Amino acid sequence: MSIMHSNINTIAAGYGYSGGADSDSVEVNPLFARPKEAKAFSKFKIPQEGSLPETAYQVVHDDAMLDGNARLNLATFVSTWMDDYANRLYMEAADKNMIDKDEYPKTAEVESRCWHMLADLWHAPDPMNTIGTSTIGSSEACMLGGLALKRRWKEAREKAGLPADRPNLVMSSAVQVCWEKFCNYFDVEPRYVPISEEHKVLDGYDLDKYVDENTIGVVAIMGVTYTGMYEPVKKISDALDRIEERTGLDVRIHVDAASGGMIAPFIQPDLQWDFRVKRVYSISTSGHKYGLVYPGLGWVVWRETADLPESLIFKVSYLGGEMPTFALNFSRPGAQVLLQYYMFLRLGFEGYRRVQQAAHDVAKYLSGEIAKMDDFTLWNDGSDIPVFAWMLKDKPDRKWNLYDLQDRLRMKGWLVPAYPMPVDLTQVTVQRIVVRNGFSHDMAESFLKDLKACVKYLDGLKAPMPSEARVSGFHH
């Protein structure tokens, strides 16, 4: 007996209404309830008795359908669509455990192929003499890159008989929160170089004020989360060259290329940001962002095998075999690794170039149209990764702000976050759009139509919007 219908009571329960039942429970619509089955499920306790799969499916389905439409989510960088063959492959590989290389040796081999391909894409001097790994996402990849920097610095200090108890990491104040977590979790002092309207990204300016003998490395971001801008890796490296000439300090760079690592090689091939820059020691990226794979998948690759300290690699006996492992997670899905390989084969270099160029073209078109509107000033125009942000122009009699516009757009289904910029620029509020694969010119036209309608409505206000609407629900 099928119950593939909308369960109104379950939907209402998702908003805290339970049709007269206890608010801690989720009701089952009487139309679909079976004899002897529970009429409601506790939200916070495992039910004493089970239910038919159709009933359990409907309860979960009706909760999940209240999430936003992923195609209209212009906040996330994460891939929300893959083709039918990828979906089929995903289901076929859903049971594969990436860590169990003895049981799934071909999946392990595919993982190795993928990071070697990335090493080649990122111009490693000898791609076959590199080392890398897949991760559950680019945050884990960043943490592994940071750990390698710290361990390399620590071992060098101890070998020289110097103290190694005060490591620091230099980065922009606009880094993604994973770097704050890294410093917190692994006892590293974060040194944030503040961005400003003159220096919108970390660009080497004043770097010598932050780097010292305890600096384990500098993080350069290829696609700042706040705005999508590239940090100029070559300029940062040049600044570190000058510091080394003056002080003798050899400071390496980790490139957080969560987004740009799968954009720049295809549409900005002459930009020097990768292993062509000699100070770049490791690079991380997200397979599940512009790598075009479902979440969660990340990658990290070191310039050469010797750059990953041997002391960080564990050799463990697991399910009948010994294997080396370097990861924060242990058991994790192998399906996404196979999906990444599928995408590399499916698209090839030229296919990726077309996909990324299409997203880039839409971003440039959108930013250009928004720049023409009287109320907005662009922070950047999407020339780097296909992401851009804008600010409100000063207008003393305006009755609304970007948080109000964010809420108004949400009423039409669009998720377009507004948020303050990082420390030293918190007085600046921006709104940001991420253009991903599948966001077409037609959808961009629809968005612009809705954006202009929302602005027209807000411009017609006779009084300010309620203050409760002026809080961002978006966090980096």
Side-chain angles (χ1 to χ4, degrees):
M1 177 179 175
S2 172
I3 58 167
M4 297 290 287
H5 305 283
S6 177
N7 181 343
I8 300 302
N9 284 346
T10 303
I11 294 173
Y15 285 102
Y17 172 72
S18 57
D22 184 270
S23 62
D24 288 341
S25 64
V26 177
E27 284 193 351
V28 177
N29 190 317
L31 181 63
F32 307 126
R34 275 48 163 213
K36 298 184 180 179
E37 269 199 320
K39 300 299 187 292
F41 297 106
S42 170
K43 291 181 181 177
F44 309 111
K45 294 181 181 179
I46 296 176
Q48 192 66 33
E49 302 291 338
S51 60
L52 290 173
E54 297 96 324
T55 305
Y57 167 85
Q58 194 66 44
V59 171
V60 178
H61 170 82
D62 287 351
D63 268 340
M65 67 182 277
L66 295 176
D67 288 333
N69 182 335
R71 296 291 296 278
L72 303 183
N73 185 352
L74 304 184
T76 184
F77 288 78
V78 175
S79 296
T80 55
W81 179 88
M82 294 190 77
D83 64 36
D84 288 342
Y85 285 100
N87 291 330
R88 184 191 306 179
L89 186 60
Y90 201 178
M91 291 306 301
E92 292 171 357
D95 62 340
K96 293 185 185 292
N97 183 357
M98 190 64 247
I99 204 67
D100 187 0
K101 294 175 170 61
D102 183 65
E103 182 68 19
Y104 305 112
K106 292 305 293 185
T107 300
E109 182 182 331
V110 165
E111 178 193 30
S112 178
R113 292 178 194 174
C114 285
W115 59 255
H116 277 102
M117 288 177 173
L118 290 171
D120 179 68
L121 184 69
W122 296 335
H123 298 97
D126 180 2
M128 296 310 296
N129 186 35
T130 55
I131 189 167
T133 184
S134 66
T135 61
I136 208 69
S138 62
S139 290
E140 183 190 4
C142 287
M143 296 213 183
L144 297 180
L147 281 171
L149 287 173
K150 182 183 178 183
R151 184 61 56 88
R152 172 185 174 274
W153 170 85
K154 182 174 183 288
E155 291 177 352
R157 296 279 292 178
E158 290 176 342
K159 184 177 181 180
L162 298 170
D165 59 340
R166 297 178 60 190
N168 68 68
L169 182 66
V170 176
M171 52 198 150
S172 160
S173 61
V175 289
Q176 212 267 354
V177 70
C178 70
W179 288 105
E180 299 177 44
K181 288 183 178 180
F182 167 76
C183 292
N184 186 349
Y185 295 168
F186 296 105
D187 296 320
V188 174
E189 175 197 350
R191 292 190 174 177
Y192 299 114
V193 180
I195 64 169
S196 65
E197 296 196 39
E198 294 74 33
H199 301 277
K200 292 183 174 182
V201 294
L202 177 67
D203 58 9
Y205 176 75
D206 271 354
L207 198 58
D208 55 336
K209 295 181 180 178
Y210 299 86
V211 170
D212 61 23
E213 64 179 5
N214 292 314
T215 299
I216 65 174
V218 173
V219 175
I221 310 170
M222 284 293 287
V224 174
T225 310
Y226 283 84
T227 62
M229 295 179 70
Y230 289 155
E231 294 185 337
V233 179
K234 184 65 169 61
K235 285 182 67 176
I236 295 169
S237 178
D238 290 344
L240 290 172
D241 286 346
R242 293 191 293 272
I243 290 171
E244 183 175 11
E245 289 172 5
R246 191 174 66 256
T247 66
L249 298 174
D250 178 16
V251 178
R252 302 288 183 91
I253 296 172
H254 174 87
V255 178
D256 178 355
S259 297
M262 296 302 292
I263 293 288
F266 301 108
I267 64 173
Q268 297 123 350
D270 296 329
L271 181 64
Q272 293 194 32
W273 65 273
D274 51 17
F275 292 123
R276 286 172 290 184
V277 179
K278 292 184 178 180
R279 285 192 184 274
V280 173
Y281 168 81
S282 50
I283 301 172
S284 55
T285 197
S286 272
H288 63 226
K289 292 181 181 173
Y290 289 102
L292 307 179
V293 173
Y294 287 135
L297 178 67
W299 299 97
V300 58
V301 178
W302 284 266
R303 172 183 288 275
E304 55 186 60
T305 303
D307 287 333
L308 176 61
E310 181 72 22
S311 58
L312 286 173
I313 300 174
F314 283 80
K315 292 182 173 60
V316 297
S317 179
Y318 185 62
L319 298 181
E322 183 178 87
M323 61 178 190
T325 178
F326 176 47
L328 300 181
N329 293 287
F330 201 65
S331 293
R332 54 189 172 86
Q336 284 87 340
V337 170
L338 297 180
L339 290 176
Q340 184 73 85
Y341 189 52
Y342 166 79
M343 291 305 298
F344 287 163
L345 300 182
R346 163 80 173 78
L347 291 177
F349 185 95
E350 184 56 26
Y352 265 97
R353 190 199 64 75
R354 289 195 304 269
V355 168
Q356 312 302 32
Q357 187 64 58
H360 195 262
D361 291 346
V362 171
K364 290 283 289 181
Y365 167 72
L366 263 181
S367 68
E369 292 301 304
I370 290 173
K372 295 175 185 177
M373 298 175 67
D374 291 338
D375 288 286
F376 305 127
T377 298
L378 293 180
W379 178 271
N380 63 304
D381 67 356
S383 294
D384 296 334
I385 63 173
V387 174
F388 64 94
W390 66 88
M391 305 169 287
L392 274 179
K393 291 179 181 176
D394 289 334
K395 188 184 289 187
D397 59 344
R398 184 184 286 114
K399 302 295 191 294
W400 57 277
N401 60 27
L402 290 178
Y403 298 117
D404 300 322
L405 178 57
Q406 167 189 267
D407 292 341
R408 195 76 195 169
L409 286 167
R410 186 181 287 266
M411 292 180 191
K412 294 182 177 292
W414 301 104
L415 274 65
V416 187
Y419 48 84
M421 293 292 274
V423 176
D424 292 341
L425 272 180
T426 52
Q427 77 281 5
V428 177
T429 298
V430 299
Q431 199 159 13
R432 187 198 70 197
I433 281 179
V434 177
V435 177
R436 304 186 312 281
N437 178 41
F439 188 73
S440 64
H441 275 278
D442 286 343
M443 291 183 71
E445 292 285 3
S446 296
F447 171 77
L448 284 169
K449 181 179 178 181
D450 287 341
L451 175 65
K452 291 173 182 177
C454 290
V455 170
K456 182 177 180 181
Y457 170 85
L458 293 169
D459 278 342
L461 292 174
K462 303 302 182 186
M465 296 289 284
S467 60
E468 286 80 7
R470 298 171 181 267
V471 178
S472 175
F474 179 78
H475 301 281
H476 287 280

